[in-house]
Amino acid sequence: MASPSSSTTIDRGYNVLYITLGCAKNEVDTDRMRALLLASGFGEVADPESADVAIINTCSFLASATEESIETTLEIAEGASEGVRKLPIIMCGCVPSRYGAELNEQLPEVAAFVPADQEDGIVSIVADVLNIPEPTQSIVAAHGMLRTIDGASAFVKISEGCDRFCAFCAIPYIRGHYHSRPAEEILQEVKELMDGGVREVILIGQDTGIWGSDMPDTEDGQTPTLAKLMQKVAEVVRSYKGWIRVLYLQPEGMTDELISTIRDTPEVLPYIDIPIQHCNERILKRMGRSGSIQELRKLFDRLRSEIPGMVLRTTGMCGFPGETDEESDELYDFIQEQEFDYTSVFTYSPEEGTLGAKMSDQVPDEVKIERTQRLLDLVEQLGFAATARHVGERCEVIIDGIEESDEGTELIGHTWFQAPDCDGAVHIAEGEASVGDIVLCDLVDSFCYEMIGEIVDTTDKQSGEKTV
């Protein structure tokens, strides 16, 4: 477990409840706040009744996510009001970042609102809400870039914000302009995570492919790029025999250098996540994106040619304003043609403040829902078939958890073609292992996106070399 220094002996006698909504980037932010609070002597509990304060890290990517964030907050507030004492609630993340001061009147149940760019001040905010003295030591200086991961995989943010301003997306308004996180900071965090038992690091950001584009050249004249960063991360991970995965790559980010790095760096998994949203050139242009079906086809043909056995994940959006039946069919046919291993499907949502929400030719809800369901049916069929194709392979599996039931103990893990928290898992009914172990398995069956594995060798549990 990667955690604050053992020199921390403060016990303030206050416990924090953490609730995280939304994507993996929010999980990283919550973990950062948890680490800072743990280092300052605050405990952690899993239920409201035992908590002294609740931190809710919210998502506002879609209107439905905003609604879920507010509903969750009100549920916690209502539950606390029925108890013996009132539970202070601190709302963090995207909702406060997006809506700011107007929340004060709308949500009087919340004691403090913390935008994403102010979360590193969570210790003083919690102290203020609880009306207790603020810690005087500099936590960051004392403990470095803290994380509290106790599993086998860890997400590592390499950037914040976004400059794309796609017509359907509010992220630039919520998270601000794109800025790359310094390489030295990323490498230090990766090392600490690996020291703490993590076996796989997953590099994430709003637009990972352009990491370094906002940075000056290095002293030796090198231009910072994601490929160079991944090579440096691989040097750290190599000594731990771990894995590297990268998510949220845009088509334009797939440079020659990056493709060769994914292909030629053993620690980097041949798993590529490229959200296309659509394939029709007119719709892409209206979305504020570039590309065409010909360019996307050329890219995916090249990736499959240069990285044999590669797994591809993508995202499709249904019902963007002005999308015709023919253009919807074009996306359906392209997804079917490409046979992606994993595809996430979204129904277009007119988000407040975005260009798309102002367009007059909105697609009726019933049409959007019908198009979404049709595409969902297709991608499930393709995804289940892609998973089944791995039956008969022998792969290394990272153990993520252990579940006890009336039938006995089951090991739950994932292998190289399964991203944690995104894809399916490997279920192992027999054998002994601990969380973080890497075991060699035969994949003997599949159901939906899930695999059934049988351990064939546990003599080198920490080997970490992927078997593709």
Side-chain angles (χ1 to χ4, degrees), residues 210-232:
I210 64 169
W211 181 89
S213 61
D214 56 335
M215 293 178 167
D217 289 352
T218 60
E219 292 182 358
D220 57 358
Q222 294 290 311
T223 300
T225 62
L226 175 62
K228 293 185 179 69
L229 174 66
M230 291 173 68
Q231 292 163 14
K232 292 179 180 178

Side-chain angles (χ1 to χ4, degrees), residues 37-339:
L37 288 164
L38 285 172
S40 300
F42 292 91
E44 177 180 358
V45 292
D47 65 278
E49 292 184 2
S50 304
D52 296 289
V53 61
I55 292 178
I56 303 177
N57 197 359
T58 60
C59 176
S60 191
F61 177 60
L62 299 173
S64 58
T66 302
E67 291 171 4
E68 181 188 12
S69 295
I70 293 174
E71 288 172 2
T72 300
T73 301
L74 294 177
E75 286 174 5
I76 294 294
E78 181 180 352
S81 66
E82 296 174 355
V84 176
R85 58 193 170 85
K86 182 179 179 181
L87 178 64
I89 298 172
I90 299 175
M91 178 183 277
C92 300
C94 293
V95 172
S97 296
R98 185 172 186 177
Y99 295 105
E102 65 184 85
L103 294 172
N104 291 317
E105 291 186 5
Q106 297 178 358
L107 289 172
E109 298 87 353
V110 176
F113 297 97
V114 185
D117 61 359
Q118 297 178 24
E119 289 173 347
D120 273 359
I122 193 64
V123 173
S124 61
I125 293 167
V126 169
D128 182 62
V129 165
L130 293 176
N131 195 26
I132 62 175
E134 180 181 345
T136 56
Q137 73 269 36
S138 172
I139 302 302
V140 174
H143 301 287
M145 299 306 298
L146 300 179
R147 296 292 300 275
T148 65
I149 296 299
D150 58 2
S153 301
F155 294 99
V156 174
K157 282 210 299 187
I158 65 172
S159 64
E160 187 57 272
C162 185
D163 287 335
R164 286 187 175 272
F165 290 92
C166 296
F168 54 81
C169 184
I171 291 297
Y173 309 104
I174 299 171
R175 294 280 181 168
H177 285 290
Y178 186 91
H179 57 277
S180 302
R181 190 176 170 198
E184 297 75 15
E185 195 174 287
I186 296 169
L187 295 173
Q188 179 61 31
E189 182 171 323
V190 169
K191 185 179 186 307
E192 291 179 2
L193 288 167
M194 302 301 285
D195 282 340
V198 166
R199 291 291 168 261
E200 175 183 7
V201 294
I202 305 157
L203 306 181
I204 59 173
Q206 295 301 142
D207 191 352
T208 50
I210 64 169
W211 181 89
S213 61
D214 56 335
M215 293 178 167
D217 289 352
T218 60
E219 292 182 358
D220 57 358
Q222 294 290 311
T223 300
T225 62
L226 175 62
K228 293 185 179 69
L229 174 66
M230 291 173 68
Q231 292 163 14
K232 292 179 180 178
V233 173
E235 293 175 6
V236 175
V237 170
R238 188 169 298 134
S239 60
Y240 300 88
K241 298 183 179 179
W243 300 353
I244 302 169
R245 194 186 304 268
V246 60
L247 301 182
Y248 311 123
L249 291 160
Q250 300 296 330
E252 303 91 334
M254 296 307 302
T255 63
D256 294 346
E257 182 188 36
L258 181 57
I259 293 172
S260 62
T261 295
I262 295 172
R263 181 191 63 218
D264 300 335
T265 309
E267 293 76 21
V268 178
L269 300 176
Y271 177 111
I272 300 180
D273 171 41
I274 303 179
I276 61 170
Q277 310 302 346
H278 215 284
C279 64
N280 178 269
E281 185 172 7
R282 187 185 78 89
I283 292 296
L284 286 169
K285 186 174 181 179
R286 294 200 85 200
M287 287 179 168
R289 299 171 66 84
S290 61
S292 66
I293 191 169
Q294 294 81 11
E295 292 172 350
L296 290 171
R297 185 178 286 126
K298 182 179 179 181
L299 170 62
F300 292 127
D301 286 348
R302 180 188 177 191
L303 291 176
R304 291 188 173 99
S305 173
E306 296 195 22
I307 312 176
M310 172 198 57
V311 160
L312 276 171
R313 165 177 275 281
T314 193
T315 301
M317 179 176 291
C318 298
F320 187 79
E323 183 191 52
T324 65
D325 289 340
E326 292 74 20
E327 289 162 341
S328 175
D329 289 343
E330 188 176 353
L331 175 61
Y332 182 97
D333 292 341
F334 183 71
I335 297 288
Q336 187 173 45
E337 165 200 308
Q338 291 296 316
E339 295 185 331

